[in-house]
Amino acid sequence: MNNPVTYSKADGACVITISCSVQGNPVCMETLDGLFTALDVAEGDRELNLAVIRSGQSGVFSKGHDIEKVSKADIAVVKQYNLMGQRLVSFIRNMKKPVLAAVDGDCFGPAFELILACDMVFATAKSRFGFNETEYGFVPGFGGTQLAARKAYETFAKYLVFTGEPVDAAELYGKGMVSKVLDGAESLEKAVTDMSVLMSKRSSFAVGLAKETINSTIDMDFAKGLLLEQNAFTFSFSTFDKTEGTSAFVEKREAKFKDRWEDYRF
């Protein structure tokens, strides 16, 4: 099987493209492995400020699981598949760099779980999202039951999981699960490019610190969350980027940030 995941650099972003040889871009173990590899590269590359996950098939992000493969898989294979999916969404959540999903078309099952793990989701108006697993007799397994309830609320998460009914981008935007809704593929591509350019003007170190703070405090007691935020705020004032950013504002020039999370990777 050809590698269903490729990646390239553009405007400071690692653009990751999913293009399976099967129409509908079904998710398989090769897809999960390819995504993990590409995201790991993005996290460690000093020239990159964010990652963008997109589809290489026109008009569809992914129809979901490869049901034919899943139907023939034994429990050991299913367990490995499940763990790979959860490992991937956990990795996205723990990355210091933002991960943006660009969705144009249907985004179902594990693909929906994948984009829920992302920090921002840009989607075209025609895009649809849903958990279609119950239609096939099983449940979401890549963090969908957890992410949907955290990003929206319990009753809506149950509606999505129980019914498997697709919902459009506008509805998810209203629930805070989609960041922007664009008219079509061209508008989507421009919005992603604009975001990549914008992020290249920000302190990657500060953005990573902010992501870590938000993700770490979502389920935390408010007072404890404030303490963690206080620590992050104070720490940011000890960095080169804080000195450079504030000096650039005063001197009316563009900041040249240097602090990078890559220097702290082991």
Side-chain angles (χ1 to χ4, degrees):
M1 177 178 184
N2 293 330
N3 188 349
V5 178
T6 57
Y7 57 92
S8 60
K9 299 179 184 180
D11 302 305
C14 180
V15 181
I16 303 169
T17 303
I18 305 171
S19 189
C20 182
S21 58
V22 179
Q23 185 58 36
N25 243 2
V27 173
C28 59
M29 285 197 281
E30 291 82 2
T31 305
L32 300 177
D33 189 58
L35 283 168
F36 185 88
T37 298
L39 289 165
D40 190 49
V41 168
E43 183 76 335
D45 192 326
R46 291 177 60 89
E47 296 180 356
L48 300 171
N49 301 303
L50 74 159
V52 175
I53 302 175
R54 60 185 294 275
S55 169
Q57 291 191 10
S58 178
V60 62
F61 189 83
S62 172
K63 292 288 187 179
H65 297 281
D66 188 328
I67 299 302
E68 186 174 344
K69 279 189 176 182
V70 170
S71 69
K72 299 174 182 177
D74 60 31
I75 293 299
V77 172
V78 169
K79 183 69 172 179
Q80 182 186 12
Y81 179 53
N82 175 222
L83 292 175
M84 286 178 70
Q86 292 192 345
R87 175 179 179 239
L88 178 62
V89 299
S90 294
F91 185 77
I92 292 172
R93 298 282 292 174
N94 290 325
M95 284 176 66
K96 294 298 186 295
K97 293 179 183 177
V99 181
L100 187 155
V103 181
D104 180 29
D106 288 347
C107 179
F108 297 150
F112 188 22
E113 295 175 286
L114 171 67
I115 68 100
L116 285 177
C118 294
D119 302 293
M120 293 177 281
V121 180
F122 289 5
T124 57
K126 73 173 184 180
S127 297
R128 301 188 304 165
F129 304 81
F131 295 119
N132 54 2
E133 283 86 352
T134 56
E135 180 181 345
Y136 306 112
F138 56 99
V139 300
F142 295 179
T145 61
Q146 305 306 301
L147 291 167
R150 282 166 169 76
K151 291 215 165 184
Y153 46 84
E154 180 187 343
T155 52
F156 185 61
K158 286 178 177 176
Y159 170 79
L160 291 171
V161 174
F162 293 176
T163 70
E165 287 294 294
V167 295
D168 61 27
E171 184 167 0
L172 288 195
Y173 177 78
K175 298 290 192 298
M177 300 168 83
V178 165
S179 311
K180 282 193 175 185
V181 180
L182 293 309
D183 293 337
E186 290 185 7
S187 298
L188 177 64
E189 185 174 347
K190 183 179 185 305
V192 170
T193 299
D194 289 347
M195 178 57 68
S196 300
V197 172
L198 173 65
M199 294 305 297
S200 70
K201 298 178 181 179
R202 300 292 183 257
S203 165
S204 179
F205 193 85
V207 169
L209 189 58
K211 175 174 175 175
E212 181 181 66
T213 303
I214 294 169
N215 285 356
S216 298
T217 57
I218 287 175
D219 299 314
M220 192 177 286
D221 173 80
F222 186 65
K224 291 179 181 177
L226 285 178
L227 180 60
L228 196 151
E229 180 187 76
Q230 179 189 109
N231 292 339
F233 178 76
T234 304
F235 174 52
S236 67
F237 267 71
S238 68
T239 64
F240 169 87
D241 279 8
K242 173 267 168 185
T243 302
E244 170 63 10
T246 53
S247 297
F249 176 81
V250 172
E251 296 165 12
K252 296 181 173 54
R253 60 176 175 82
E254 189 169 309
K256 295 181 180 178
F257 296 116
K258 292 182 181 179
D259 288 324
R260 302 293 303 189
W261 279 103
E262 295 87 346
D263 297 332
Y264 295 87
R265 283 188 101 210
F266 297 99

